[in-house]
Amino acid sequence: MPQKRGRRRKTRTHVRAVEEGGSDGVPRSFVVRRGAVPHGVKALIGELRQAFMPHTAAHLRERRSNSLKDFEAVAGKLGVTHMWMFSATDWGVYARMIRLPRGPTLTFRLQEYSLSADIKALQRRPASLVSDDLREPPLLVLNHFSAELPHVRIARAALENMFPKIDVRTCVLSRIRRVLLVDYDDENTRLHFRHYKILIQPVGLSRTVRKLVVRHKVPKLTGMSDISELVNGDGDGHFLESSESEGEGPQEAHVTLPQNVGKKRKQGGRNTIKLVEEGPRLSLDLVKIEDGVCAGEVLFHSRIHLDDANAEQKAAEAREKRKIKETRRALQEKAVHEKKQHAEEKQEKKRKRREARERERDQ
């Protein structure tokens, strides 16, 4: 029971401790920008945050004065493991995918992108995301990442670790509502991002009947004289030969559900799986990979190719810089410890003098 006097202690909270510290092992991410970027890139950042939901900071507000160290300090307290950072130069727009807190860092050049509004404007029947679709992370699908090259393995591991792992034996199908597809083009080291919404529709129903069964939406019955016109016809007395397979796609897309998906799609029913692109689209050219957080040894560079001697020299220089940094950090920690110890000794001396004065005053 809360105390009746003094400050009341909370006995019920709405935020779980696991969300604050990230101790549950779920990867979390930031999507931020540094400096001035084009207006379209700002909208792209907001849509990327939506695609990475729910384990991302959807309403993060950054300033131009924020530095990389500011984000690193906040990320450690919130359990953030990955950060996407966009910046613009005279040469173009760049995106860095950083694994916190020690790296590596993958630097991409934004070749082209499309926002959700542009994609939906070209669709005949666009499907919008609802709040239930964003409560679970998307299903990550990696395509053409089978090459055993060092930079391909690093990129594959970085993308896989951005999202929680899925156990196919225990996962609930109703929670998988989105797909994030990443395709790798080996010719120009380019990554293509696509974001889809999963639609599950029953097989063997016309569009009007499907609306009635799935959405509980009663169609217009004006001008119909028989129920067959609703089931098989177009509403004007003309029957559709392919009304049962309208919008169902090929036979490869027909599946038998192994478990219930919501209240309307029961286990064992025949349904068709349809992917509707939600956006955004991205095409990113992999430029380089660094060992640390925006620093350290360059593990891969798409434009600069070093021979063995130069590569070993660069690696030695990076090791030397890392060693100097560790030595400087050790000296700083030692100085802070000595300063703290000196302050404690000073406080102890003050306490003893104060106690001595009090004893003299009592005598």
Side-chain angles (χ1 to χ4, degrees):
M1 292 293 293
Q3 296 180 1
K4 295 183 178 180
R5 295 182 180 179
R7 176 176 293 182
R8 183 179 68 86
R9 182 181 296 275
K10 289 185 177 181
T11 58
R12 181 172 175 264
T13 178
H14 298 282
V15 181
R16 295 177 294 179
V18 67
E19 295 182 356
E20 298 176 356
S23 59
D24 55 348
V26 176
R28 292 172 172 82
S29 60
F30 278 163
V31 184
V32 299
R33 60 181 172 88
R34 286 197 63 190
V37 296
H39 180 72
V41 178
K42 293 181 181 179
L44 176 64
I45 291 174
E47 294 187 0
L48 271 181
R49 292 175 179 176
Q50 186 184 48
F52 294 161
M53 286 289 286
H55 303 301
T56 189
H59 303 288
L60 180 64
R61 301 180 65 180
E62 65 273 28
R63 300 178 180 177
R64 290 188 179 182
S65 59
N66 292 134
S67 63
L68 179 60
K69 292 184 178 180
D70 297 335
F71 295 114
E72 289 185 74
V74 176
K77 298 179 181 179
L78 299 178
V80 176
T81 58
H82 293 78
M83 180 167 62
W84 282 78
M85 185 171 60
F86 286 81
S87 60
T89 65
D90 296 337
W91 300 96
V93 179
Y94 290 85
R96 290 184 176 92
M97 180 183 175
I98 307 171
R99 178 67 166 91
L100 299 174
R102 299 179 181 86
T105 300
L106 286 76
T107 302
F108 303 94
R109 187 178 187 273
L110 184 60
Q111 189 67 23
E112 57 185 6
Y113 67 94
S114 299
L115 300 178
S116 299
D118 303 327
I119 296 173
K120 292 181 179 180
L122 301 176
Q123 294 176 346
R124 185 180 178 184
R125 295 186 182 91
S128 300
L129 293 173
V130 296
S131 59
D132 291 341
D133 298 331
L134 303 176
R135 292 180 179 177
E136 296 291 336
L139 176 64
L140 179 65
V141 178
L142 301 179
N143 190 33
H144 296 152
F145 278 86
S146 58
E148 293 300 326
L149 297 175
H151 63 280
V152 178
R153 292 200 304 267
I154 295 175
R156 181 175 64 236
L159 291 170
E160 289 177 349
N161 294 330
M162 266 198 63
F163 301 95
K165 298 184 182 301
I166 297 178
D167 189 353
V168 295
R169 297 170 298 180
T170 59
C171 68
V172 181
L173 294 181
S174 59
R175 296 181 179 178
I176 303 177
R177 295 172 174 262
R178 296 177 293 137
V179 173
L180 183 64
L181 173 64
V182 184
D183 180 74
Y184 177 71
D185 187 359
D186 192 21
E187 295 182 0
N188 46 19
T189 64
R190 181 172 298 175
L191 277 70
H192 301 279
F193 285 75
R194 299 291 187 271
H195 184 216
Y196 299 95
K197 179 179 180 177
I198 301 177
L199 296 181
I200 303 177
Q201 298 176 349
V203 175
L205 300 178
S206 62
R207 190 194 314 168
T208 54
V209 177
R210 188 166 58 244
K211 288 182 180 180
L212 181 61
V213 174
V214 177
R215 304 181 187 176
H216 297 287
K217 184 178 180 180
V218 179
K220 293 182 180 180
L221 303 178
T222 305
M224 295 185 184
S225 58
D226 192 80
I227 191 64
S228 61
E229 297 181 9
L230 173 64
V231 178
N232 299 322
D234 58 359
D236 296 327
H238 303 288
F239 291 88
L240 302 175
E241 296 180 358
S242 60
S243 61
E244 291 186 353
S245 61
E246 181 184 1
E248 294 177 0
Q251 291 292 331
E252 293 79 4
H254 296 179
V255 297
T256 301
L257 297 180
Q259 56 183 258
N260 295 336
V261 180
K263 298 180 180 180
K264 305 171 184 177
R265 301 163 185 86
K266 302 299 181 180
Q267 180 180 357
R270 293 286 293 175
N271 292 266
T272 178
I273 305 298
K274 183 180 179 181
L275 298 181
V276 180
E277 188 171 2
E278 290 293 335
R281 290 184 183 179
L282 287 90
S283 295
L284 302 173
D285 290 345
L286 181 60
V287 178
K288 67 177 179 178
I289 302 176
E290 297 170 292
D291 188 23
V293 178
C294 297
E297 180 183 356
V298 178
L299 304 178
F300 167 80
H301 205 292
S302 61
R303 297 180 177 87
I304 301 176
H305 302 280
L306 303 177
D307 53 13
D308 295 339
N310 292 333
E312 182 61 28
Q313 181 181 358
K314 292 290 185 181
E317 292 177 357
R319 288 193 296 268
E320 185 66 22
K321 288 182 180 179
R322 192 182 302 113
K323 185 177 179 180
I324 293 175
K325 184 177 181 180
E326 292 176 356
T327 304
R328 188 185 301 116
R329 181 176 298 175
L331 292 175
Q332 291 176 351
E333 292 177 355
K334 182 180 178 181
V336 171
H337 178 71
E338 292 178 352
K339 186 176 181 180
K340 184 177 180 181
Q341 187 177 5
H342 177 71
E344 291 177 354
E345 292 176 354
K346 189 175 180 180
Q347 291 292 333
E348 183 66 19
K349 290 180 181 180
K350 287 184 178 181
R351 187 183 63 81
K352 291 181 179 180
R353 289 198 299 267
R354 184 169 59 252
E355 292 178 354
R357 288 196 300 268
E358 290 177 356
R359 286 195 298 268
E360 293 177 357
R361 189 165 50 250
D362 294 340
Q363 292 177 358

